Amino acid sequence: MHRRCGEKDPRWLPAGAAGRSQLWLRSLFAGFLFAPQELWARRLQARAAAARFPPDGRGVLGMHVRRGDACGDAGVQHNQDCVATERYAAAARELAARYGLTRVLVATNGGPEVLRELREMLPGLEVRPLAAAAPRPARAAGPRPGGA
């Protein structure tokens, strides 16, 4: 029995929660805890509109093309391989055909050259860059919180 309300099935749990596993209850709590708050939901909707996402989120393939340190110095050992743009394009073609996708939203540090290559290699798909995040406001001068 729950000490605080004196019931076997406390009222703060949804109907049907009694007898469920701890994993189910934890998943329910995590879903509540990590659900977007109204402010963030509005921001996400604005970003989706700017990227011209379909309202239901279908038809868009997200792709992250790395061109930073992995593709830099040949003499330096990296923990990732520099993957050719053609391999990204081949995967995009396969996924687009399988799921009926029409757009590819690309996040990359490779600049416009990567987008140009992908557009040439994916003529039937709309290739768009992921809009860069807005810069954070500059931190005010002075000591940091915590005395550092």
Side-chain angles (χ1 to χ4, degrees):
M1 186 168 307
H2 191 268
R3 284 187 235 153
R4 195 164 188 191
C5 67
E7 296 180 6
K8 291 182 181 177
D9 186 5
R11 293 175 197 252
W12 51 270
L13 288 177
R20 298 282 186 146
S21 70
Q22 285 187 6
L23 175 62
W24 186 88
L25 291 170
R26 288 178 183 168
S27 298
L28 178 73
F29 179 68
F32 170 76
L33 186 64
F34 295 111
Q37 295 177 3
E38 187 178 333
L39 171 67
W40 286 105
R42 283 195 312 265
R43 287 181 180 175
L44 289 172
Q45 289 168 352
R47 285 285 180 122
R52 293 189 300 148
F53 279 144
D56 62 359
R58 294 176 184 251
V60 179
L61 170 65
M63 180 184 295
H64 180 197
V65 179
R66 290 186 49 114
R67 287 292 182 261
D69 56 354
C71 297
D73 303 326
V76 179
Q77 185 176 9
H78 301 285
N79 62 351
Q80 288 197 294
D81 295 328
C82 183
V83 178
T85 307
E86 176 54 41
R87 286 186 54 196
Y88 287 101
R93 280 191 294 272
E94 179 185 333
L95 291 169
R98 184 184 305 169
Y99 298 108
L101 306 175
T102 57
R103 295 182 180 113
V104 181
L105 191 60
V106 182
T108 184
N109 58 354
E113 180 66 21
V114 170
L115 295 169
R116 185 191 60 73
E117 290 175 0
L118 285 171
R119 286 180 179 128
E120 288 175 3
M121 294 175 191
L122 301 170
L125 298 173
E126 179 185 355
V127 177
R128 295 180 44 89
L130 179 65
R136 292 184 180 192
R139 191 180 261 196
R144 291 185 174 181

